Amino acid sequence: MLVGVRVLRTETELREAGIAGCVLVPTMGALHEGHLALIRQGVALSRAEGSPGGCVVSIFVNPTQFNDPRDFDRYPRDAARDLALCEGAGVDAVFQPAPEVVYPPGVEVPVPALPPVATRPGLEDAHRPGHFEGVCQVVRRLFELVRPGVAVFGEKDWQQLLVIGSMVEAEGLPIRIEPGPTVREADGLAMSSRNALLDPDARVRAGSLWAALRAAGGVGRPEEAERAMRRVLDEAGLETEYAVVRDAWTLEAYRAGEGRALVAAWAGGVRLIDNAPWPRAGD
Ligand code: AMP
């Protein structure tokens, strides 16, 4: 397929393109409407702020953040389609590096010190050991290569969003992190590249993650909300990893103020996560 969007693959090409200061939207490809909403947000932001380099999308399936190698192997990939979608969304360049550009042989790419929100909550940190080490490593490295002024991350991965924000602050990086709202299917299922792996039966049952978050909304106490979420997931035959209400910003136990309901569950061999504001969950 002939594609017109500018594709950058190496550090030299990045430097020559002069995109430092751009708005970066990091992805692992297999782009769906959720990614495209973030990308459109990035394009609009770069235009509004006159960002040098405009909006750049990175596409890289990062091996170091997969705690299960089979998950990495079967992760959906469709480079030609991704480039066409980026072009259609008006991005200025796509950074699509080979693994050896991100992790040059013989070079130790450092893993930044993990902030407490990446180690204490017992959520993704506990259920995907090594995941946030890999995420922080690759995001830090992408920032070093691309040198964005702004980076857009989805609220879909709420703990990740907080982890990246904390890492940027701790490292004193001159990068603003912009959150983007979660885009959902008609039944409320959060869009995810992994949804393509759901068989028809699991796809129907996967809608219960959103149903669980909605069931938690308006329930007065965190423990009751957590029980309500588990009930919905159990009834749908999903295997729940966690269904909790936490402080929205620290992910520690909820006391007062803004909370977040967060769920992780397996549907037909596919691990899904979602979250929503609490007690307004499901707005
Ligand atoms: P991924 O390709 O899964 O690493 O995701 C790339 C970015 O897209 C991350 O910042 C995700 O949080 C974000 N994202 C994934 N799914 C959605 C969604 N359904 N709505 C909005 N953003 C999303």
Side-chain angles (χ1 to χ4, degrees):
M1 194 191 311
L2 257 187
V3 178
V5 70
R6 186 162 53 149
V7 182
L8 310 169
R9 300 190 191 276
T10 64
E11 192 160 4
T12 310
E13 286 175 7
L14 284 172
R15 294 296 154 260
E16 284 171 2
I19 53 152
C22 67
V23 175
L24 175 66
V25 185
T27 79
M28 297 203 298
L31 301 180
H32 51 65
E33 269 305 315
H35 294 118
L36 287 173
L38 288 193
I39 291 169
R40 287 188 207 108
Q41 184 178 338
V43 169
L45 207 62
S46 71
R47 303 286 185 270
E49 299 188 356
S51 313
C55 177
V56 176
V57 173
S58 66
I59 299 178
F60 180 64
V61 185
N62 173 39
T64 72
Q65 73 190 66
F66 285 82
N67 50 315
D68 178 351
R70 281 167 310 179
D71 190 24
F72 174 72
D73 289 341
R74 70 174 188 161
Y75 198 82
R77 294 165 169 88
D78 193 344
R81 180 174 173 274
D82 288 347
L83 292 181
L85 288 170
C86 286
E87 184 180 16
V91 313
D92 297 280
V94 173
F95 178 47
Q96 198 176 34
E100 56 272 21
V101 171
V102 179
Y103 301 114
V107 176
E108 189 76 29
V109 174
V111 176
L114 291 191
V117 74
T119 58
R120 288 173 49 107
L123 303 176
E124 295 302 286
D125 48 309
H127 292 277
R128 301 189 67 190
H131 173 64
F132 284 130
E133 279 85 349
V135 167
C136 287
Q137 181 185 39
V138 77
V139 170
R140 181 75 186 77
R141 176 71 177 137
L142 288 173
F143 286 173
E144 178 179 81
L145 286 164
V146 177
R147 302 185 190 166
V150 178
V152 186
F153 288 86
E155 292 180 352
K156 155 80 168 36
D157 299 283
W158 185 258
Q159 190 176 5
Q160 169 176 282
L161 176 66
L162 299 178
V163 167
I164 306 264
S166 301
M167 177 191 80
V168 163
E169 204 177 306
E171 301 238 327
L173 303 176
I175 300 170
R176 193 172 90 237
I177 303 300
E178 281 285 335
T182 302
V183 178
R184 301 177 179 284
E185 302 283 0
D187 66 345
L189 175 65
M191 291 195 179
S192 163
S193 306
R194 289 193 175 82
N195 294 353
L197 305 172
L198 293 165
D199 65 39
D201 170 62
R203 170 64 191 84
V204 171
R205 292 185 294 121
S208 65
L209 271 83
W210 177 238
L213 293 169
R214 287 179 66 88
V219 175
R221 300 221 327 267
E223 315 78 62
E224 284 170 40
E226 290 175 355
R227 275 198 294 276
M229 287 194 283
R230 274 199 183 262
R231 236 184 344 261
V232 173
L233 295 167
D234 286 351
E235 275 165 19
L238 266 60
E239 197 184 313
T240 304
E241 275 190 353
Y242 58 78
V244 296
V245 168
R246 296 289 175 85
D247 179 276
W249 305 111
T250 63
L251 298 184
E252 304 278 336
Y254 178 82
R255 295 216 163 71
E258 281 185 76
R260 203 87 191 171
L262 305 106
V263 293
W266 290 83
V270 181
R271 185 174 187 275
L272 301 168
I273 61 171
D274 202 353
N275 69 87
W278 189 89
R280 303 185 331 275
D283 278 3

